[in-house]
Structures are given as C-alpha cells and as structure tokens.
Amino acid sequence: MALNPQAQAKAQKEIDDVVGLDRLPDFRDRESLVFFDCVFKESLRWGTPAPLYPKSFKPERFEGLDPKEAKRLDPTNYVYGFGRRRCPGNHFADSAVWFSMVGLLSAFDILPALDENGKEIPIREEFEAGAIRHPKPFRVRFTPRHANSLELLAFSK
C-alpha cells in the first residue's frame, strides 16, 4: 500500500464512510466496502508467485464489471491453486487476509520508512530471482490514522 498511496487513501475513505471511526471493520461490512474489495483483489492479483498479469497496481480494473466478467477476472480463482490442487482452506485464507488487510488500512497509514534525516526511503518494486516470485525486503512505517486507532486495536483482542 505504501507504493500506492492514492488507492490506500480512497480505500481508507470508504472504510471511514461505511464503518465510522468508533470501531474496526468486520465481516458484516464486506459487501459495503466495494472499492476496498477491488484493492484486496488487486493486491492478490499483483502479488502472485508468478507474474502472469500487468505489473501496474490498478484496483479500478475490478470496478463496474458485469457478474460474469467479475467472476472470470477474480484472482481468488487462481491464487489458491486450481482444481484438485486448490488449497482446501482457501475460504479461510481469503477471509483471514481480507480481515487483516481491512483492519490495518482502517487503523494505519502505511508509508515508506524514514531515514536518519527524516526523509522517506524510496521503496523499490524488486523481486527475488527464482521459480517463486516474492518481494525483496523493504521497510515501511505504520502511522495511526486516528487518535483512537491503537485503542481500538487493543480493545479488539
């Protein structure tokens, strides 16, 4: 998200509008968080182990699709495997990742880390070489978005 501050801000505004500031999002909110769902899907699509699709992070590609096209393009069709090799816990994994991601975006701004002079350290979109694609290490900082963000996280234990 630190590489895509516009998408982060738009998703956070939607979360604030739907959920408010006095609680964290939960699964009851999932259907109402339409743009966040696009960001979630784009995060799954963009970060696949094999670079099968365009490199650019563009959650809008999932907006306004007819149901048939939306089902065809849904990255959950492939990120958890295919056919008999599909992860048996795919629904649990999908829910866990969604819940973690929406909670983090609700509570924090995810920003590039700062150097010793207080300047942002650029994040490079670099991936390790090998059969499975994964990002090279990078640093970010999590800044609470609201005065009660940390309190909400502590309360939700």
Side-chain angles (χ1 to χ4, degrees), residues 39-96:
V39 171
F40 173 69
K41 287 178 181 176
E42 183 66 355
S43 297
L44 294 176
R45 183 211 60 82
W46 182 83
T48 56
L52 303 173
Y53 289 88
K55 180 181 169 182
S56 63
F57 188 88
K58 196 172 151 192
E60 295 81 6
R61 75 179 78 240
F62 296 105
E63 283 185 309
L65 299 174
D66 67 74
K68 189 174 183 179
E69 186 71 358
K71 184 172 175 66
R72 187 181 73 77
L73 293 177
D74 189 341
T76 61
N77 292 328
Y78 55 85
V79 296
Y80 302 115
F82 302 93
R84 293 176 54 192
R85 300 286 185 239
R86 188 165 175 87
C87 172
N90 65 332
H91 297 292
F92 176 75
D94 186 74
S95 295

Side-chain angles (χ1 to χ4, degrees), residues 3-155:
L3 289 171
N4 301 285
Q6 296 86 4
Q8 179 177 195
K10 187 174 177 180
Q12 288 171 325
K13 181 180 181 331
E14 180 184 65
I15 293 167
D16 292 349
D17 290 347
V18 170
V19 176
L21 304 179
D22 59 342
R23 68 176 181 90
L24 292 173
D26 60 36
F27 292 115
R28 295 172 296 177
D29 304 308
R30 192 164 187 174
E31 287 185 20
S32 301
L33 296 171
V34 177
F35 184 74
F36 174 79
D37 194 54
C38 294
V39 171
F40 173 69
K41 287 178 181 176
E42 183 66 355
S43 297
L44 294 176
R45 183 211 60 82
W46 182 83
T48 56
L52 303 173
Y53 289 88
K55 180 181 169 182
S56 63
F57 188 88
K58 196 172 151 192
E60 295 81 6
R61 75 179 78 240
F62 296 105
E63 283 185 309
L65 299 174
D66 67 74
K68 189 174 183 179
E69 186 71 358
K71 184 172 175 66
R72 187 181 73 77
L73 293 177
D74 189 341
T76 61
N77 292 328
Y78 55 85
V79 296
Y80 302 115
F82 302 93
R84 293 176 54 192
R85 300 286 185 239
R86 188 165 175 87
C87 172
N90 65 332
H91 297 292
F92 176 75
D94 186 74
S95 295
V97 173
W98 183 91
F99 191 69
S100 298
M101 190 171 163
V102 76
L104 286 171
L105 279 184
S106 173
F108 297 101
D109 286 320
I110 305 170
L111 306 163
L114 301 176
D115 66 15
E116 59 277 353
N117 297 317
K119 293 187 180 186
E120 288 188 350
I121 301 170
I123 299 172
R124 294 194 172 107
E125 280 186 58
E126 296 178 327
F127 294 86
E128 299 286 351
I132 303 292
R133 184 178 105 140
H134 60 277
K136 289 186 176 182
F138 60 93
R139 292 177 48 208
V140 296
R141 62 191 157 107
F142 290 81
T143 305
R145 294 184 59 229
H146 308 290
N148 67 338
S149 291
L150 297 178
E151 182 181 315
L152 288 173
L153 289 169
F155 181 71

